[in-house]
Amino acid sequence: MKGKLYLAVGSSVALVLAGGLVSGGAVHAASDSRVMAVGSTALQPLAAQAAEMFGEKHAGVNVVVQGGGSGAGLSQVGKGGVTIGNSDIFASQKDGVDAKKLKDHKVAVVGIAPVVNDDIKVKSLTMDQLRDIFSGKITNWKDVGGQDEKIVLINRAQGSGTRFTFEHEVMNGEDTKTAQEQDDNGAVQKIVSKTPGAISYLAFSYTSGPNAKGLRTLSIDKVSPTDKNVRSNKWQIWAYEHMYTVKKTDKNTDKNTKAYIKFVQSSAMKKTIKKLGYIPVSDMNVVKSADGDVKKSK
């Protein structure tokens, strides 16, 4: 498993390394009150913040949050290795996962936007142009109204929910050109911001703030990547953020896991969800099925 982990212990969040917990020796990995959430890096900032806030209200319940990608989260929760599998995709969309054994808890909606290094002069692309860039048909920014500069593709790794959503909504069945791949949104954010000519895609939650300096989003067909446009499906590259659990789990673990997920879904988290760059599920004007069908909310 890759990426950082965050452990909510009372009123603090401690960094956890892959080899074990680092928290002054006061907390041990074998704690019966531990909730382990692994998977989507797009969901990781929200899951970690919720873990800290939950820890302040539930002394003795430790929530550990780790990235690794949606595929890893779904696979591990299905095998019983973790209590929560964080995912940007429906479990039924992941090969090798028995979705019937998992329970879906939708906790937020995330928009996904194409991002470029700030040196690129292009501000908007058509969907066809975006598809042609990622399929390798267009290789220079001058061909889409920009400067004479080679396009540098940065992709997410296979198993990424962000990549799955981007390809599903943009590529229309075409293969993505083989390119540099990164395991998480944070790595993509850093590389695009420092690589002239670079283009990739990021969850909205990674497109602003100090770490996003040096990159910017692109509009598609003159539609801007905003929460408002996601809510109406005018901006179509978006996904639910899921927290999956096994339907049959240990009673104590199940109690703590349910409490944590319920907290993430509560009205108390709504302001935080928006602040971190996500959209509350209740704010959506549409619903999307696992098949990709979008309908107006009732």
Side-chain angles (χ1 to χ4, degrees):
M1 297 182 291
K2 299 180 180 180
K4 294 180 179 179
L5 293 86
Y6 297 87
L7 171 65
V9 187
S11 60
S12 66
V13 173
L15 177 64
V16 183
L17 303 178
L21 304 188
V22 180
S23 183
V27 180
H28 302 283
S31 172
D32 291 335
S33 60
R34 186 184 64 168
V35 175
M36 185 76 174
V38 170
S40 163
T41 60
L43 179 53
Q44 192 172 356
L46 173 58
Q49 181 63 47
E52 181 177 9
M53 296 168 67
F54 182 80
E56 293 173 351
K57 298 176 180 294
H58 298 81
V61 179
N62 310 318
V63 181
V64 180
V65 177
Q66 184 185 20
S70 297
L74 290 170
S75 296
Q76 290 194 47
V77 73
K79 294 175 182 177
V82 299
T83 45
I84 298 174
N86 291 336
S87 176
D88 311 328
I89 62 175
F90 288 89
S92 59
Q93 295 173 321
K94 171 63 178 173
D95 293 337
V97 172
D98 189 350
K100 294 180 181 179
K101 293 182 179 180
L102 301 179
K103 185 174 181 179
D104 183 9
H105 311 268
K106 297 181 183 70
V107 297
V109 167
V110 63
I112 298 166
V115 293
V116 296
N117 183 275
D118 202 32
D119 79 319
I120 303 303
K121 295 179 171 53
V122 175
K123 294 183 179 180
S124 181
L125 296 170
T126 66
M127 185 64 81
D128 287 341
Q129 287 174 330
L130 184 63
R131 185 180 305 117
D132 286 348
I133 286 173
F134 276 88
S135 67
K137 294 177 182 177
I138 295 176
T139 59
N140 194 298
W141 286 108
K142 68 180 181 180
D143 295 328
V144 289
Q147 67 268 42
D148 184 3
E149 184 173 11
K150 181 182 177 181
I151 295 173
V152 180
L153 289 180
I154 309 295
N155 214 338
R156 287 295 307 280
Q158 293 288 347
S160 159
T162 305
R163 175 171 177 165
F164 179 94
T165 300
F166 181 84
E167 291 184 340
H168 187 269
E169 300 297 342
V170 174
M171 298 309 293
N172 198 27
E174 290 192 43
D175 291 333
T176 304
K177 181 183 177 181
T178 300
Q180 178 183 167
E181 294 185 353
Q182 295 298 322
D183 288 332
D184 60 73
N185 279 271
V188 169
Q189 183 189 58
K190 183 177 181 179
I191 291 172
V192 173
S193 67
K194 295 185 177 182
T195 306
I199 182 172
S200 190
Y201 44 88
L202 286 171
F204 281 12
S205 49
Y206 286 83
T207 60
S208 61
N211 292 332
K213 185 178 180 181
L215 62 78
R216 57 182 172 78
T217 61
L218 295 178
S219 297
I220 300 176
D221 293 323
K222 298 183 179 180
V223 177
S224 300
T226 64
D227 289 358
K228 180 180 179 181
N229 287 334
V230 170
R231 288 197 297 268
S232 65
N233 198 47
K234 192 174 182 180
W235 183 268
Q236 298 179 1
I237 312 174
W238 61 272
Y240 291 109
E241 293 290 19
H242 310 261
M243 288 187 173
Y244 275 99
T245 57
V246 177
K247 290 181 179 178
K248 294 182 179 180
T249 58
D250 174 78
K251 290 183 179 180
N252 291 329
T253 302
D254 188 54
K255 177 182 178 181
N256 295 325
T257 300
K258 283 182 177 179
Y260 168 66
I261 293 175
K262 186 176 180 180
F263 176 74
V264 181
Q265 294 175 321
S266 71
S267 58
M269 278 295 297
K270 196 168 183 178
K271 185 176 180 180
T272 300
I273 287 172
K274 292 180 178 180
K275 183 178 179 180
L276 292 176
Y278 305 85
I279 302 168
V281 176
S282 60
D283 285 2
M284 293 295 290
N285 299 319
V286 296
V287 294
K288 183 186 287 188
S289 70
D291 295 327
D293 295 328
V294 178
K295 298 179 180 179
K296 288 187 177 181
S297 302
K298 293 182 179 180

